Amino acid sequence: MRAARAAVVLLAAAALAAFLLAGCEHGPAGSGSRTEGTPAAPPAPPDADPSILPTRQVAPAPVMRLARGLAPPTNRWFSSLALGPAPQPVFPLPLAVGVTPTGFGVGVPRVTTTAKGAFGPYAPQVTVTVPGAATPQVTAYDTASVTVTLGPGRLTIVEGSPVLHWTSTTAATLGLDVAFAPGGPDDSAVAKVGDRTWLLVATGGDGRPAAPALAADGRSVRVPRGGHVAWVALPDGLGADDQRAARFATAAAAPVTRTTLRYAAGSRAASTAVDYGAATAVVRLPHQTDAAPGGDLDCAGLGGYATVLGTATACLGRTAAWSVPAVAPAATLDVAHLPAAQRAELATSVAADARRLAGPDAPADPADTYFGGKALARDAHLLTLATALGRHDAATLLRTRLDRELRQWTDPKGCTQRADHCFVLDPVQATVVGLADGFGSEQANDHHFHYGYFLEAAAIAAADDAQHGDGTLTQAIAPVVDLLAADVAASGPVPTGHGPDLPALRVFDAFAGHSWASGYAPFADGNNQESSSEAVNAWNGLALWEAVRGDAPREAEARWLLASEAASARDYWVAPDTHDPAVAGIGAQVTSLVWGGKREHATWFSADPSAPLAIEVLPVTPASGYLAGPGGTPPDRGARIRANLAEALATSPGDLWADPQRWDVPFGDQLLAYAALGGPDDAAHALDVARTLPAARIDDGDTRSWLLAWILTRE
């Protein structure tokens, strides 16, 4: 069986190697769990097996307000409801919701803007008192909803919905801090809070619509056993007397009980569909509105809501669906077709970088999973160049080092023998943690950032193994690399054998179209993500690795993740629409930290002006062309790229190339790589500067050789 398994893996790696070398494109992938139109592939490998790792709690377990058996919902928009000392506000836009010891509050954040970003903090407009609410517990969650048990009932919070649902398990009276008056549309009650109109909609224990059982003063509502009430925030400027209000009241009558996800990935587009189970009120966020529409939503003339992401369009229907441009997974740069002089220049540079990084006097790689992963990917990139340019001496050095480092990192029992370069299973948090940890990875922070580098390096090494080895490297590293893939993006729950399952799609939020980086999200502004480009890198690496493994359905899922994350990275991080009326006052070109409740031009790690753009660019890979815009060509032919660079370098777009010393800044290499996407003239200027850029400005996950090769292949 072991020999047969090695043969399957070797064939799959050979297929990827051919893909990398020839640049051929897979056929369109089908929805969710199947792939259509692709050539026959080897049988899919077995699911990842977390039990091969030693178990260890690297960090103390957080306080968990979570029903028994549920996987801890790290890296979600609602993580803090279940994890951490106390619940923090969550932002299922267009609403913001807070759970307190006495009940909960809900509001539509009022958005303000500054030169540095857009801010929409939690400020409840309706506060509800619930008897016995002191011990909230998350009892269910799925694609776009979370259920919190509070005292005698359940609060259901639905992402993308302007409706907050409450269902009583026993008869209860809920207190209201604002008075609701009967006589609203469709038997609802109405309250005006500032400039926002709220409806209170009810059904009886028999499930039929009924007028809310309000007290005489309108400050409490009686809910029978099995009954349901919902608070509906009408769109901006819409009053209860508007005929459209009745449509929202009707849509809110039935609680959302389950949301599900469908997706597809093809050669030209990737599509997402979030099904709410029944017709309800939802919104289309900017990344969905800008995309090709789908689903059954009726959005005509219903208004919208100002959010920190821009204007959310109000809609009614069951299924929110949209498509975004595909991004082809890629691992190599086409240096073989460069002119002979440029190939010779690159070959000399590659040989020098290989001796420095993989020769006898090379320094040891970092021991933590972030910088250690970056080093692996850096060496793998360099190996692809050495192979393509015929520098067999350099390729041998790099191949030997990459083989050694990957085998060490992926030894399943490594953490029983050493304190770093290894992985363990945290059985309480249900996550794979690398040692040494870094940037809070022991609390499930940033795993996709870290593991994306491992996935890419492993895929490249496996492709090389198929061409120049015997398949034993791929066979050796696959079990643990499969676990890294499953930790951040399992297709479904993965049993650990030691407690809760690894959850499906741990970090990715299908409705929002992007990932969340914080494990517990212990913040008043919700969860956040900083490096959208490292998230994109994770899915590029995942797609390459699943191609190695011959797992067509998971490769299709990775392609969907890659396209979705890239589209949201453009819309919210790198090229947001600052003319949208909801956020028109933002002065910054780039909003490098996106939260549930704000977007800001700032970073966690550096005050350097170059850092906010650089962290949305690195690592530059063959899949980074998405940064230029759909299809790799910006509609404004580089104007946006030059404006972003001018912001990062504190100059004007017309003066970017006036002084080469201007690029002698932290992350100068990443900015030069980004500049090369602006067009042939910018690429030519970037090449001149890159040749003499001080070595200290080459990022630890980069080499001058890779930087030059990237720019040359743009030029």
Side-chain angles (χ1 to χ4, degrees):
M1 289 295 293
R2 291 171 66 95
R5 169 79 171 145
V8 167
V9 170
L10 184 57
L11 285 170
L16 177 63
F19 167 71
L20 297 180
L21 292 173
C24 57
E25 189 172 13
H26 286 278
S31 173
S33 62
R34 62 193 180 89
T35 301
E36 300 172 348
T38 54
D47 289 335
D49 180 9
S51 69
I52 66 174
L53 296 179
T55 58
R56 185 184 308 177
Q57 286 184 250
V58 181
V63 174
M64 294 193 185
R65 296 170 294 280
L66 191 65
R68 184 179 180 85
L70 282 182
T74 64
N75 309 94
R76 309 280 174 150
W77 58 270
F78 60 85
S79 292
S80 73
L81 294 181
L83 308 172
Q88 295 289 333
V90 296
F91 295 82
L93 299 179
L95 300 181
V97 179
V99 173
T100 72
T102 60
F104 57 89
V106 60
V108 175
R110 182 181 293 276
V111 178
T112 60
T113 58
T114 70
K116 291 295 186 180
F119 304 87
Y122 168 66
Q125 292 156 349
V126 178
T127 300
V128 182
T129 302
V130 179
T135 55
Q137 185 182 60
V138 170
T139 50
Y141 63 84
D142 54 29
T143 295
S145 72
V146 57
T147 300
V148 183
T149 296
L150 285 171
R154 302 184 304 274
L155 181 69
T156 303
I157 309 171
V158 182
E159 192 177 17
S161 175
V163 185
L164 186 66
H165 302 269
W166 167 269
T167 303
S168 279
T169 51
T170 61
T173 298
L174 307 181
L176 304 168
D177 72 329
V178 296
F180 278 79
D186 213 23
D187 282 335
S188 65
V190 182
K192 189 73 178 291
V193 184
D195 56 2
R196 180 71 56 191
T197 298
W198 288 84
L199 303 182
L200 179 58
V201 178
T203 58
D206 58 3
R208 295 180 179 178
L214 291 168
D217 63 358
R219 291 184 177 271
S220 66
V221 59
R222 179 76 174 169
V223 188
R225 179 179 180 180
H228 167 256
V229 290
W231 292 263
V232 186
L234 292 183
D236 296 347
L238 192 68
D241 56 350
D242 190 297
Q243 62 180 0
R244 293 171 291 179
R247 299 181 65 190
F248 286 91
T250 301
V256 172
T257 58
R258 184 169 181 258
T259 65
T260 55
L261 167 68
R262 299 190 305 273
Y263 61 82
S267 59
R268 295 186 178 182
S271 62
T272 304
V274 177
D275 190 314
Y276 290 85
T280 187
V282 297
V283 298
R284 284 173 62 84
L285 294 176
H287 75 282
Q288 301 161 354
T289 306
D290 295 343
D296 62 359
L297 297 187
D298 176 6
C299 308
L302 293 174
Y305 303 82
T307 79
V308 295
L309 300 179
T311 300
T313 305
C315 304
L316 300 170
R318 171 173 172 163
T319 303
W322 61 95
S323 296
V324 298
V327 176
T332 61
L333 298 172
D334 185 13
V335 296
H337 293 90
L338 293 175
Q342 292 180 347
R343 291 201 308 274
E345 176 188 13
L346 276 181
T348 300
S349 180
V350 166
D353 277 333
R355 287 192 299 271
R356 176 175 59 85
L357 295 171
D361 300 323
D365 278 352
D368 69 282
T369 52
Y370 180 69
F371 292 106
K374 287 182 72 172
L376 290 172
R378 174 201 65 203
D379 294 350
H381 287 161
L382 202 57
L383 174 59
T384 66
L385 293 181
T387 303
L389 294 166
R391 288 303 306 241
H392 304 300
D393 52 342
T396 298
L397 287 175
L398 292 161
R399 186 175 296 121
T400 301
R401 184 179 181 91
L402 198 56
D403 183 294
R404 182 180 70 246
E405 294 296 321
L406 279 171
R407 287 178 186 270
Q408 181 181 31
W409 273 108
T410 59
D411 176 2
K413 303 303 180 185
C415 285
T416 65
Q417 304 160 8
R418 55 184 178 272
D420 52 42
H421 290 82
C422 59
F423 294 91
V424 298
L425 172 69
D426 183 326
V428 177
Q429 297 189 75
T431 188
V432 176
V433 180
L435 302 181
D437 55 86
F439 300 101
S441 61
E442 75 282 5
Q443 299 176 22
N445 291 353
D446 298 353
H447 281 197
H448 56 316
F449 296 165
H450 296 214
Y451 300 168
Y453 290 108
F454 284 86
L455 290 165
E456 183 186 27
I460 291 172
D464 183 79
D465 187 33
Q467 293 292 305
H468 303 283
D470 57 6
T472 58
L473 171 64
T474 309
Q475 183 182 16
I477 68 176
V480 169
V481 178
D482 282 346
L483 276 178
L484 302 186
D487 185 65
V488 296
S491 297
V494 177
T496 65
H498 297 282
D501 298 342
L502 301 185
L505 293 179
R506 179 190 302 276
V507 304
F508 190 75
D509 184 334
F511 184 82
H514 63 77
S515 307
W516 296 110
S518 176
Y520 309 158
F523 310 107
D525 290 305
N527 213 322
N528 73 91
Q529 178 163 265
E530 181 178 60
S531 183
S532 61
S533 51
E534 285 181 304
V536 171
N537 182 61
W539 312 138
N540 183 58
L542 179 64
L544 296 172
W545 176 250
E546 297 301 356
V548 163
R549 300 295 275 147
D551 195 326
R554 289 178 182 153
E555 183 188 354
E557 179 182 76
R559 285 171 171 261
W560 165 69
L561 291 166
L562 173 60
S564 299
E565 192 92 48
S568 292
R570 290 189 298 265
D571 279 349
Y572 301 134
W573 278 263
V574 180
D577 179 6
T578 54
H579 300 294
D580 184 314
V583 293
I586 294 179
Q589 293 287 323
V590 171
T591 48
S592 45
L593 262 173
V594 174
W595 301 71
K598 64 182 179 182
R599 281 164 52 203
E600 56 185 335
H601 182 79
T603 76
W604 284 107
F605 63 93
S606 174
D608 288 309
S610 56
L613 176 57
I615 199 61
E616 309 311 328
V617 173
L618 66 83
V620 174
T621 76
S624 294
Y626 76 92
L627 289 165
T633 303
D636 55 2
R637 306 186 68 84
R640 181 64 190 237
I641 289 172
R642 287 187 284 274
N644 287 356
L645 287 165
E647 179 177 75
L649 297 172
T651 187
S652 66
D655 287 337
L656 287 174
W657 306 111
D659 180 6
Q661 297 302 312
R662 181 171 285 122
W663 300 83
D664 185 5
V665 296
F667 310 105
D669 60 332
Q670 306 302 312
L671 300 186
L672 285 168
Y674 179 63
L677 292 169
D681 290 344
D682 290 292
H685 287 301
L687 181 62
D688 289 340
V689 177
R691 286 176 170 137
T692 59
L693 188 72
R697 299 310 189 191
I698 304 294
D699 183 67
D700 51 3
D702 196 9
T703 60
R704 193 183 303 276
S705 299
W706 187 254
L707 174 61
L708 294 175
W710 165 265
I711 297 173
L712 285 167
T713 52
R714 301 315 100 182
E715 187 184 31

